[in-house]
Amino acid sequence: MNSSFIKENSISNESGSALIAVLSLIALASVLTVSSITFANKTSYLSESFYQKAFTSYAAEGASARIQWLISSDRRKYPQRTLGVNTSIENKQNSIEVRFIADGVWHSVNYYGMTVNYRITDLASGIDIGGPDAIVNLQSFASQYEGDKREAYVSFINKFEDYTDNNDLVRLNSLESDSYRALNLYPLPRNSRMEFKEELLWIPGALEFFPPDDKGKLSLIRLIPPQNMPRPSSANSFFSTDMSLVSTLAGLSEDESSIVNTAREKWINEGIDLSLSLDVGLMTKLRSKFSFIESGYYTIDINTAAEDSIVSKKLVISGRISSRFTNPGIRYYQYFSY
């Protein structure tokens, strides 16, 4: 074979191999470049997300602290805490002074460039299932049910009573320790007063009558104070109590319930006095069952989100707030961040 042919063929093969190697390196470099850019973008996105989450969290906590001070200041400035009466006050600059009262109205405040929405309600609201009158309070809610639904509710009350009493006697259609063990719910029942309102959901049938609201909270049930902390007054705040409970406890007809709900919405949205929307008879009914004076125990709902971001933070805190802060400061009855 011609030696020149062999040499040319060898050179050709070497050139082809070199080309493949160069192309492979270029392809590898391209992949690494794209990967680096993708990783950098992902890192940047995650960093921005973490930053926004942290910022909204701090903003929610900071705003809640500021609102607590403002409630205290409002209590000191206006010791009369009656709700449902227009308390708008014009200051020297002819602008309406913002009040910090437990009327359930949503407001917004600018907190270091971020719009923070907040609402103040009264902790004294809902069915009290943690006190000595828990059974009586649940029974008062039975009047809204009829037929099989009422029987199911009575059965639930029996289960609640067996859950909280200190004996093993089983009431009609109820459960005791053996039944809870069969349901893999040992060591239930508690056989004592409830410590957390959410444990109500451990009792079979509770969800049928007390489902969580759209925020995941048992809004029909009153918060149970932690041990060794004072309890709010037993009377439910009218503006902080769920409307279905208002109708039931006040014994309102369907038409009356609609009128009362409209009046409450007018107060919340327009600041119109209840006395201008409700007749004396309805007001008397409501005042006999509900309180229109703040209890001094507040729940603050915070909802914050950066205007250019979908990242948001919700904070719910409850505590006793007076006209001045003393040691050990505010002790929280609940503190939920989500």
Side-chain angles (χ1 to χ4, degrees):
M1 184 177 291
N2 192 316
S3 60
S4 62
F5 174 78
I6 294 175
K7 187 181 293 185
E8 290 175 2
N9 189 46
S10 176
I11 294 172
S12 176
N13 289 338
E14 291 177 359
S15 300
S17 299
L19 179 61
I20 292 173
V22 171
L23 291 175
S24 298
L25 288 173
I26 293 174
L28 178 61
S30 299
V31 171
L32 291 174
T33 301
V34 172
S35 298
S36 298
I37 294 173
T38 303
F39 180 76
N41 288 337
K42 183 178 180 180
T43 301
S44 176
Y45 175 80
L46 290 175
S47 298
E48 177 66 17
S49 178
F50 289 144
Y51 164 76
Q52 290 179 347
K53 285 182 179 180
F55 186 76
T56 53
S57 295
Y58 286 130
E61 294 176 8
S64 72
R66 178 186 293 181
I67 292 168
Q68 291 170 58
W69 280 101
L70 291 170
I71 291 173
S72 179
S73 175
D74 195 281
R75 288 181 60 87
R76 185 165 55 252
K77 191 173 182 179
Y78 304 105
Q80 176 58 254
R81 310 302 293 178
T82 302
L83 303 176
V85 179
N86 195 323
T87 57
S88 297
I89 300 171
E90 290 190 6
N91 57 26
K92 294 179 179 179
Q93 288 73 38
N94 296 322
S95 60
I96 300 299
E97 179 180 356
V98 177
R99 295 292 310 280
F100 292 85
I101 53 180
D103 58 1
V105 179
W106 280 99
H107 300 278
S108 62
V109 61
N110 186 299
Y111 190 78
Y112 293 99
M114 174 181 288
T115 299
V116 175
N117 300 310
Y118 69 92
R119 178 180 65 173
I120 305 170
T121 54
D122 203 306
L123 178 60
S125 61
I127 303 174
D128 184 0
I129 63 171
D133 298 324
I135 299 299
V136 174
N137 294 335
L138 286 171
Q139 288 172 340
S140 67
F141 201 54
S143 60
Q144 65 171 329
Y145 302 117
E146 297 179 352
D148 294 341
K149 189 82 170 180
R150 186 181 180 88
E151 289 184 13
Y153 187 73
V154 171
S155 174
F156 167 74
I157 293 178
N158 289 340
K159 294 172 186 174
F160 179 91
E161 196 161 3
D162 280 335
Y163 183 92
T164 55
D165 66 19
N166 57 4
N167 61 62
D168 291 326
L169 300 176
V170 184
R171 291 173 174 78
L172 182 64
N173 299 323
S174 186
L175 302 89
E176 269 292 352
S177 56
D178 290 341
S179 299
Y180 282 101
R181 187 176 288 107
L183 294 171
N184 294 320
L185 292 175
Y186 177 82
L188 300 180
R190 178 177 283 279
N191 291 328
S192 182
R193 289 183 187 175
M194 288 192 168
E195 293 187 15
F196 312 97
K197 72 175 185 177
E198 289 78 13
E199 69 179 287
L200 181 74
L201 300 180
W202 286 114
I203 302 177
L207 273 174
E208 181 180 357
F209 304 101
F210 303 104
D213 60 21
D214 57 351
K215 298 179 180 63
K217 298 190 297 182
L218 298 180
S219 53
L220 289 176
I221 306 299
R222 181 182 291 208
L223 180 71
I224 299 176
Q227 290 185 1
N228 302 319
M229 293 182 69
R231 301 175 63 86
S233 62
S234 58
N236 282 308
S237 168
F238 172 73
F239 287 100
S240 301
T241 300
D242 187 273
M243 192 60 212
S244 63
L245 189 57
V246 170
S247 299
T248 299
L249 295 181
L252 303 179
S253 67
E254 188 174 340
D255 289 341
E256 288 176 329
S257 180
S258 177
I259 292 171
V260 170
N261 186 51
T262 299
R264 191 160 79 163
E265 290 297 317
K266 284 184 177 180
W267 162 258
I268 291 174
N269 297 322
E270 304 173 45
I272 297 177
D273 285 17
L274 290 179
S275 60
L276 300 178
S277 303
L278 299 175
D279 60 37
V280 176
L282 272 178
M283 282 298 301
T284 301
K285 267 189 178 183
L286 295 174
R287 292 190 183 281
S288 67
K289 295 293 182 179
F290 299 96
S291 174
F292 289 80
I293 300 176
E294 289 181 346
S295 68
Y297 296 78
Y298 298 86
T299 293
I300 303 173
D301 287 86
I302 300 288
N303 186 0
T304 177
E307 295 180 356
D308 58 346
S309 169
I310 61 173
V311 177
S312 64
K313 194 70 174 180
K314 294 180 176 62
L315 179 66
V316 181
I317 64 170
S318 297
R320 186 179 185 181
I321 303 176
S322 64
S323 59
R324 64 182 63 187
F325 290 99
T326 58
N327 289 329
I330 291 182
R331 299 169 63 196
Y332 292 114
Y333 284 64
Q334 67 175 343
Y335 195 103
F336 289 144
S337 179
Y338 58 98

